[in-house]
Amino acid sequence: MSEEPVIQPPKQRFAPDPWCLRETAPDPATHFLHETLFALGNGYIGVRGTAEEGWSGPAGTSRDGTYLNGFYESEPIHYPETAYALAKTNQFMLNVPNAKGLAIWLDEERFDPLQGTLDAYERSLDLRRGVLERSLRWTSPSGKSIAVHSRRVVCFDNKHLLALEITVTPLNFSGTLRIVATLDGAVRNLEAGDDPRVGSAVSGASLELLSAEQEDGFSALVQRTRNSGFTLVSATLVDAPGTVRCSRAALRLEDACEVPAVQGQPVRATKYVSYHTSRDYPESELLPRSRALLDAARRDGFDALAARQADYLADFWRQADVEIDGDDLLQQGIRFNQYHLLQSAGRDGKTNISAKGVTGEGYEGHYFWDTEIYIFPFFLYNKPEIARALLEYRWAGLEAARRRARQMSHPKGALYPWRTIAGEECSAYFPAGTAQYHINADIAYSIRQYLDATGDDDWMRAHGAEIVMETARIWLGIGSIDRHGRFVINEVTGPDEYTALVNNNYYTNAMAQAHLEFAAALAARLATEFPADFSRIASAMALEAGEPEAWRSAAAKMHLPYDEALGIHEQDDSFLSKKRWDFDSTPAENYPLLLHYHPMVIYRHQVCKQADVVLALLLLSSRFGLDDKRRDFDYYEAVTTHDSSLSSCIFSIVAAEVGYADKAYDYFMETARMDLDDTHGNTCHGVHTAAMAGTWLGVAQGFGGMRTDGGTLRFAPTLPARWRGYRFRIHLRGCLLEVGVAAAGTRYRLVQGDALHFSHHGKAITLTAAQPEHMEAA
Ligand code: BGC
């Protein structure tokens, strides 16, 4: 790979401030990683945490980037040996023009914190305010000292807008100060190397220049993607003292201001930045919209944008904050993760959550099942409007999923892509891609959760039911009744990507069963309660009269592999006959196995990359007894490497349920600070959004024992020995419930809403507006 870091960052230990991430020196050893951790985003724009003056550290210690969720280029996938219906085109999130640049010149010397002397330095991200701030004092090689204060905000309340402000104070001289704002279109994407999780198979520039505009501090680049055919307008507006002079060198636009600097007198420049694309607006509107937005932002000023950001976040934390009493490191990790989730989630119905959010190019900005199974509950119970927008995205992709089903020889139904941006299958390695048919059941599962939690029948009638039924049809397309009368699903890959193309993956079959039952139940409900909707959808899908009954019958006959001798669910028909991986002889440096062994070597063994059966134990919790869960956990834990970042959170939750408190805690810790401590060694390429959401799941579903499958809300709280207590809130059916667990017991409080029924370790509880609190002693 061309841009592999040459310096490995040490494991990070930020001071355990519960609301803030603080860096105390710019350091080549941590810079690449910190670019990710200090990245800002608003679900659409994402900017990596590189400073305004850029970075002059050694090669490989930086990968600057600005990304727009869902803004992609496409390239044909080249297979040296191809086959029918393999994914033809890749889509990858583009690195777009860098508008962060604000260089400072003291006469002829350029400010660079890695040259001269840094007399003081602090960079911080306050999670309550959502502003990245930096304060430093620096002395140039020739002895001139300045104080620099910078602020950066990527606005949550306007997806197209970000702003940067820089204040420079000459401390021991008077002279000329020049601030040069740049908009740099000469950016590239990272090229793929040996690690399949990093970079894209692209070389060269993906954006062609159509025009450039510069006038009165306003600069804009109008560019078009070569293959996907989208137009992008990146624009900046500089507000600075003195005259702003513009200049241009190829794709680099500059707006410079020069001021006589007086010792002790601060000089401030503010740069407002916008990105608009033809994915959202007609091409002719892009420039006028950019101009209008930036003018309005300048009129409002940075302080007003910052104040709106703080308001937005105050509202978010009021709903979503998870408090841990007794562990500050963990508290910081949890809030950091929640904050990054908020920064990552597309919320316009056209975009989703990529595996790395908008913080890096890992996994090419693709959306996976990570959203539905890991991240969706966080938004559903904390910001339901975002959860709904995520489902809208799947609705927007239904036609593409129908087309994909036809390519895959399914005459009916819809098959969602394993990884995609705009809806088409982008997975070039089908054994760990297209073969993961469980994506259909995962989406249906999240729709069911959504409907249970919100009672949003309007959405169900308009979109949800059609998605669920169309996707359910695929199971009858790939499954069949075997000679024992069982419904079997052959040649699929389950969640565990160290086992591929198997018959009857337990997770897939169990989730397909739930999906089929749900689809049949929805069809019946629609037909009785909303007959007009039922006929409309049935005719759109050409649904035949007997189909819902066929779904029910397939579900009833579903083969769910179980080994009587071991008393465990088999991961698939062949898993238990394989040789166990020789863990004792595998050196630590050979993990993750995927970077050290051919896939077939791995597939031949009993070894799991991530939770598979164990995940089914959580999602379909009410279908298993506790003893079964414990035996499954014991068996699969022993053969799981957790090489996927999606694994430890699920093991933590199930460990808590089966009574393994220490394991629950350890797996939870692994998840909660995965990115802050860079435990997978690749956070430099972007955060792990699924694992971040796994932290929230770990509190609510793990220690809080929250389950909603089967239509009822249940809690079974436990308190980790190292904590004094914890508290989280959930939104459900118009109510806001607070669950507080401490040594004395669990306190439930209905913060908002009329009435809520749930159970505590099996005991039924009802809270009402008149009686909003209930305490259960430990
Ligand atoms: C995991 C998948 C996941 C993907 C993106 C892979 O390593 O095995 O389950 O969807 O990463 O996060």
Side-chain angles (χ1 to χ4, degrees), residues 197 355 363 368-370 418 436 495 497 609-610 644 646 690:
R197 302 166 300 180
Y363 286 123
F368 294 78
W369 72 312
D370 304 31
W418 175 244
Q436 297 202 45
E497 294 187 352
K609 182 181 180 189
Q610 62 204 102
S644 163
L646 280 66

Side-chain angles (χ1 to χ4, degrees), residues 44-45 66 68 71 95-100 160 162 182-187 207 209 211-214 218-224 231-237 251 253 255 271-278 286-287 290-291 294:
Y44 181 62
I45 301 173
T66 302
L68 304 180
F71 183 68
N95 188 10
V96 297
N98 181 1
K100 293 195 296 277
H160 301 289
L162 71 129
T182 47
L183 174 61
D184 187 0
V187 292
L207 287 163
L209 182 69
S211 63
E213 309 267 328
Q214 280 189 295
F218 174 80
S219 286
L221 285 168
V222 184
Q223 290 167 297
R224 178 171 295 149
T231 305
L232 161 71
V233 172
S234 318
T236 61
L237 181 63
L251 287 168
L253 309 188
D255 285 290
K271 188 182 191 185
Y272 302 95
V273 180
S274 70
Y275 295 94
H276 290 85
T277 85
S278 59
L286 301 178
L287 258 180
S290 308
R291 183 90 227 201
L294 296 184

Side-chain angles (χ1 to χ4, degrees), residues 87-122:
K88 295 262 176 301
T89 311
N90 189 30
Q91 300 164 345
F92 57 93
M93 182 171 76
L94 271 178
N95 188 10
V96 297
N98 181 1
K100 293 195 296 277
L102 277 169
I104 304 168
W105 292 81
L106 325 175
D107 297 314
E108 292 315 309
E109 276 178 305
R110 184 179 168 152
F111 162 61
D112 178 350
L114 297 188
Q115 308 296 321
T117 323
L118 261 187
D119 307 310
Y121 177 97
E122 184 180 277

Side-chain angles (χ1 to χ4, degrees), residues 35-36 39-48 65-70 93 154 340 342-346 352-361 365 367 685-687 689:
E35 276 181 343
T36 298
L40 294 187
N42 60 6
Y44 181 62
I45 301 173
V47 290
R48 282 177 61 82
T66 302
Y67 310 103
L68 304 180
N69 191 2
M93 182 171 76
V154 177
H340 263 278
L342 187 67
Q343 296 202 122
S344 303
N352 203 274
I353 304 171
S354 103
K356 306 284 181 186
V358 277
T359 62
E361 290 167 42
Y367 314 137
H685 292 297
V687 296
T689 52

Side-chain angles (χ1 to χ4, degrees), residues 475-607:
W475 300 121
L476 272 81
I478 60 168
S480 54
I481 300 290
D482 74 357
R483 63 201 166 90
H484 306 292
R486 307 172 305 188
F487 189 83
V488 293
I489 299 177
N490 293 332
E491 217 57 23
V492 294
T493 298
D496 166 33
E497 294 187 352
Y498 282 175
T499 310
L501 299 176
V502 291
N503 295 345
N504 298 305
N505 165 254
Y506 184 87
Y507 175 92
T508 306
N509 286 22
M511 290 290 282
Q513 180 183 51
H515 183 181
L516 288 163
E517 289 166 356
F518 179 42
L522 261 186
R525 190 171 158 227
L526 264 184
T528 354
E529 292 179 31
F530 307 104
D533 293 304
F534 181 73
S535 354
R536 177 181 47 79
I537 298 170
S539 99
M541 295 172 47
L543 187 74
E544 287 162 38
E547 283 190 68
E549 188 42 45
W551 301 338
R552 213 170 278 120
S553 154
K557 293 180 183 147
M558 186 66 72
H559 173 39
L560 297 169
Y562 189 80
D563 186 277
E564 294 292 345
L566 292 170
I568 61 164
H569 297 95
E570 292 178 64
Q571 187 168 305
D572 59 70
D573 284 353
S574 61
F575 191 80
L576 297 179
S577 341
K578 290 177 180 170
K579 188 175 162 194
R580 205 175 243 246
W581 186 267
D582 185 357
F583 294 98
D584 292 340
S585 317
T586 308
E589 62 273 18
N590 280 11
Y591 293 93
L593 301 182
L594 66 99
L595 295 185
H596 301 274
Y597 301 90
H598 189 282
M600 292 219 302
V601 175
I602 299 176
Y603 297 166
R604 214 171 272 142
H605 289 89
Q606 276 190 53
V607 58

Side-chain angles (χ1 to χ4, degrees), residues 607-629:
V607 58
C608 301
K609 182 181 180 189
Q610 62 204 102
D612 192 300
V613 169
V614 174
L615 180 56
L617 302 179
L618 167 63
L619 299 182
L620 303 170
S621 185
S622 57
R623 300 184 182 209
F624 302 90
L626 201 57
D627 288 343
D628 265 339
K629 286 180 178 165

